[in-house]
Amino acid sequence: QVKFMESGGGSVRPGGSLRLSCTASGSIVDIYLMAWAREVPGKERQLVASISSTGATYYDDDAKGRFTVSRDNAKNIMYLQMNSLKPEDTAVYYCYAPGTDHSWGQGTQVTVSS
């Protein structure tokens, strides 16, 4: 079973950027779909973006035009480049592999505040 570890979170001002990384403990070559989700206390976990092994991407409406998901199968890493950040992007961000038994990561906190 592959385990994921997120990193790259932090505190930024509105309009700023962050790049999140999701490092897998093993190969992601055979993992068809990988995704980023975020969670705010009191709300359901929300899918932000996903990317298939063929490079097909999906973005939530909130993320379109601002976030870019990518993956490097050779390095076993998935990224989420987040630009034009807004206070409402504040959340804990998780990476996971939908439809598999691979464990979710512990998450990385993103705080957008002036």
Side-chain angles (χ1 to χ4, degrees):
Q1 187 184 56
V2 174
K3 295 182 179 180
F4 301 116
M5 182 173 69
E6 303 89 347
S7 62
S11 295
V12 295
R13 295 184 182 276
S17 298
L18 285 173
R19 188 176 81 156
L20 306 184
S21 297
C22 170
T23 303
S25 62
S27 175
I28 64 172
V29 170
D30 295 326
I31 298 177
Y32 174 69
L33 191 65
M34 295 184 67
W36 288 96
R38 64 188 181 188
E39 186 173 7
V40 176
K43 295 186 177 181
E44 290 188 1
R45 200 167 284 185
Q46 172 193 10
L47 173 64
V48 175
S50 66
I51 184 167
S52 74
S53 57
T54 59
T57 57
Y58 163 84
Y59 296 96
D60 177 78
D61 285 344
D62 289 340
K64 283 179 183 177
R66 300 188 299 126
F67 295 1
T68 303
V69 60
S70 61
R71 62 192 282 177
D72 186 333
N73 289 343
K75 295 182 179 180
N76 299 320
I77 299 178
M78 178 177 64
Y79 301 100
L80 184 67
Q81 177 68 42
M82 304 189 296
N83 299 328
S84 302
L85 284 163
K86 305 174 183 179
E88 50 264 43
D89 294 318
T90 296
V92 178
Y93 285 72
Y94 299 88
C95 63
Y96 69 111
T100 73
D101 293 332
H102 300 305
S103 300
W104 288 62
Q106 294 298 305
T108 186
Q109 176 71 47
V110 171
T111 301
V112 185
S113 174
S114 56

